[in-house]
Amino acid sequence: GESVGLHLPTLSVQEGDNSIINCAYSNSASDYFIWYKQESGKGPQFIIDIRSNMDKRQGQRVTVLLNKTVKHLSLQIAATQPGDSAVYFCAETLGQGAQKLVFGQGTRLTINP
Amino acid sequence: DAGVIQSPRHEVTEMGQEVTLRCKPISGHNSLFWYRQTMMRGLELLIYFNNNVPIDDSGMPEDRFSAKMPNASFSTLKIQPSEPRDSAVYFCASRRQGGQETQYFGPGTRLLVL
């Protein structure tokens, strides 16, 4: 994951538009990746995951893309809604047995009405 | 299904006091994790347990922090003595070891040490 700074990257989109949140991970040996959503005052909530043997995975309104060549992960949210406003974290981990998640710094997504 | 349960949700204490945070993992989950979240450092793993046994405590900041898991349904994180720099949100998470890696987080305990 990325080092943490004082200010989160922010992204503002209009309601109904698509949004793309990016994440650069640190370990080329990481083989499992997760996106979490954290709303104000709540714990991180699982959104979608992807293993390193895949480059794309789709859920309901969300798609995760993985580019291992450049160690890049993205989360696409289609037709954004006000409830999508939150901080989004990517996390990486090594191997099936490894349990240590390393979190990125997060991106604050704001949906404008 | 109840999610991960944490208590208290908010704690305000004075420097030097002992603080105990509590966590009940999701039933059937046998791995439990304690995290700390601050603006400066983001989400940091403090310690995790498999089958009630501490596996990795390398994230515990110093000896003032200790964690226990006396049984499969309960864990504590204790800070003694507390300091203002311990102010943060502390999350507990759990997962089913051996399966999907996803960890499920509790609502957190917001700690303020004055």
Side-chain angles (χ1 to χ4, degrees):
Chain A
E2 301 170 14
S3 60
V4 177
L6 285 173
H7 301 288
L8 293 176
T10 59
L11 175 65
S12 293
V13 299
Q14 291 297 121
E15 182 178 352
D17 287 353
N18 299 333
S19 67
I20 299 176
I21 300 170
N22 296 302
C23 176
Y25 62 92
S26 57
N27 193 332
S28 58
S30 292
D31 59 2
Y32 179 68
F33 306 88
I34 310 171
W35 279 101
Y36 283 91
K37 170 187 180 183
Q38 187 175 23
E39 297 175 273
S40 181
K42 297 183 179 180
Q45 177 186 8
F46 170 82
I47 302 174
I48 192 168
D49 58 2
I50 189 168
R51 295 199 176 276
S52 59
N53 60 353
M54 304 172 67
D55 53 21
K56 180 179 179 179
R57 190 169 188 211
Q58 287 184 291
Q60 188 176 15
R61 287 200 304 118
V62 294
T63 300
V64 55
L65 299 178
L66 175 62
N67 185 330
K68 294 182 289 294
T69 303
V70 294
K71 294 190 290 185
H72 183 267
L73 200 64
S74 68
L75 177 70
Q76 301 177 1
I77 305 174
T80 52
Q81 304 167 358
D84 294 330
S85 293
V87 177
Y88 289 81
F89 294 94
C90 65
E92 58 183 305
T93 187
L94 277 173
Q96 176 114 17
Q99 300 185 70
K100 295 180 71 169
L101 290 179
V102 177
F103 284 84
Q105 66 177 337
T107 296
R108 184 178 301 281
L109 175 66
T110 301
I111 308 302
N112 301 313
Chain B
D1 267 349
V4 174
I5 298 172
Q6 291 186 248
S7 65
R9 294 294 312 277
H10 302 273
E11 178 81 23
V12 181
T13 190
E14 292 186 344
M15 183 174 63
Q17 295 299 305
E18 177 179 295
V19 175
T20 300
L21 311 181
R22 297 172 176 80
C23 175
K24 177 179 169 56
I26 294 172
S27 178
H29 285 190
N30 52 0
S31 294
L32 183 140
F33 307 79
W34 282 101
Y35 290 87
R36 178 172 67 176
Q37 186 176 39
T38 61
M39 283 299 295
M40 287 297 297
R41 301 175 66 87
L43 264 167
E44 302 175 279
L45 177 66
L46 301 178
I47 185 172
Y48 77 90
F49 297 81
N50 284 347
N51 298 311
N52 314 337
V53 176
I55 302 300
D56 186 340
D57 65 354
S58 59
M60 296 285 262
E62 46 196 277
D63 291 346
R64 296 184 298 106
F65 285 69
S66 62
K68 295 181 179 179
M69 192 164 185
N71 57 63
S73 59
F74 183 67
S75 177
T76 59
L77 178 68
K78 186 174 293 187
I79 309 172
Q80 167 63 20
S82 58
E83 296 182 3
R85 61 192 168 122
D86 302 329
S87 298
V89 182
Y90 291 82
F91 289 104
C92 177
S94 71
R95 69 182 284 268
R96 184 173 288 113
Q97 185 189 5
Q100 187 179 0
E101 272 82 351
T102 303
Q103 295 179 18
Y104 294 89
F105 284 75
T109 295
R110 187 173 295 274
L111 173 65
L112 177 61
V113 183
L114 301 174

